[in-house]
Amino acid sequence: AAQQASKYGAATFLLRKDIQDIVSVLTKVVEDESANIAGLTMEDLTFGFYYLLATTRGEWGQDQAAIEAEHKGCGDVTDSELARVQWMHNLATWAYVEDLVDLQQLVHHQGFEIIVCTPGNAKSRPAFHVLAHQQLKLVVVTVRGTKDFKDVLSDLDCKPTPFTMPGQSTSSSSSSEHYAHEGMNDAADWLISETIEILRLFVGSGFAPVLTGHSLGGGVATLATAKLAPEFGKAGLRCYG
């Protein structure tokens, strides 16, 4: 895509500064000789990102037959399952709400109360909230996805790091076969350090822990779920990405 964009003079396009910043970081991450592949400039590469995003979104939205073919053979989804997915979708999107009053209004209508509201973020420290539902006996950790450049830094920290699966010995010969996204893995470790005592308190009171998130938050929630499974697995720990 970047090659195609280069042919049409992509360097003349006015580019968003935040996307340019992302590519600037990318060129520092990779080695100098590979950062300018085939003579492409930073502007060409940036336009290539836009091209890929627009093309993929267009193909996905316009070709209904391709979407149906990709999901051919999948079982039917019941109304109750759809309702459950929609309910969990709401929990995941609440992580994007930064204003405490707005968040309180949203969660109150679903029967939740706010335990922790953490809208601030940094590299490998995503924004998250902890919510509790007294009637359903749920304690929910909802993790925000990529929203600003600090989240992008976590996305770009994508080196594979060894990951020990729950129940697997660190000395196991097969442990090296499992790897995780380093930025998400670091974020999962930080998230656990911030929420572990709260989770233990609620689980000890009969609540089931649920981790959810969208995009980057879904990856962080997935890894955190795996790390917490040895302690909370029997309590009904679930993750929705």
Side-chain angles (χ1 to χ4, degrees), residues 48-58:
F49 287 160
Y50 275 117
Y51 180 90
L52 276 175
L53 288 171
T55 301
T56 302
R57 180 170 294 181

Side-chain angles (χ1 to χ4, degrees), residues 1-206:
Q3 290 280 8
Q4 286 184 273
S6 181
K7 291 191 300 182
Y8 296 102
T12 63
F13 281 75
L14 180 62
L15 302 170
R16 287 181 55 184
K17 183 179 182 302
D18 56 345
I19 303 298
Q20 285 185 309
D21 289 341
I22 294 171
V23 180
S24 179
V25 173
L26 278 173
T27 59
K28 294 176 182 178
V29 172
V30 299
E31 297 179 353
D32 291 342
E33 59 267 23
S34 62
N36 193 27
I37 301 173
L40 295 175
T41 66
M42 185 179 75
E43 287 79 7
D44 295 331
L45 185 58
T46 303
F47 186 80
F49 287 160
Y50 275 117
Y51 180 90
L52 276 175
L53 288 171
T55 301
T56 302
R57 180 170 294 181
E59 291 175 349
W60 183 256
Q62 295 179 9
D63 194 346
Q64 183 65 32
I67 297 175
E68 293 177 358
E70 184 174 343
H71 294 84
K72 185 178 181 180
C74 295
D76 294 334
V77 179
T78 65
D79 290 342
S80 61
E81 288 172 331
L82 283 175
R84 179 70 175 179
V85 169
Q86 179 61 50
W87 187 71
M88 292 307 303
H89 169 267
N90 291 336
L91 297 185
T93 57
W94 287 344
Y96 288 86
V97 181
E98 298 181 351
D99 184 80
L100 179 60
V101 175
D102 290 342
L103 179 63
Q104 180 63 53
Q105 292 176 340
L106 286 171
V107 304
H108 177 73
H109 289 298
Q110 297 289 338
F112 283 91
E113 57 183 308
I114 301 171
I115 307 302
V116 174
C117 177
T118 310
N121 66 317
K123 181 179 179 295
S124 298
R125 296 188 174 189
F128 73 93
H129 306 312
V130 181
L131 314 169
H133 198 297
Q134 294 291 338
Q135 290 184 329
L136 298 178
K137 289 294 183 179
L138 293 177
V139 56
V140 177
V141 180
T142 176
V143 190
R144 197 182 77 187
T146 304
K147 186 176 182 180
D148 58 29
F149 187 61
K150 287 177 284 188
D151 295 320
V152 171
L153 291 176
S154 297
D155 290 323
L156 294 179
D157 188 10
C158 55
K159 297 185 295 296
T161 186
F163 185 83
T164 302
M165 298 298 289
Q168 182 184 59
S169 171
T170 55
S171 60
S172 171
S173 59
S174 62
S175 61
S176 60
E177 297 178 1
H178 301 100
Y179 294 89
H181 181 290
E182 186 169 74
M184 294 184 185
N185 188 63
D186 291 345
D189 287 337
W190 175 80
L191 179 69
I192 291 173
S193 71
E194 293 292 304
T195 60
I196 186 65
E197 294 303 327
I198 295 174
L199 291 175
R200 285 171 176 163
L201 178 64
F202 275 90
V203 170
S205 299

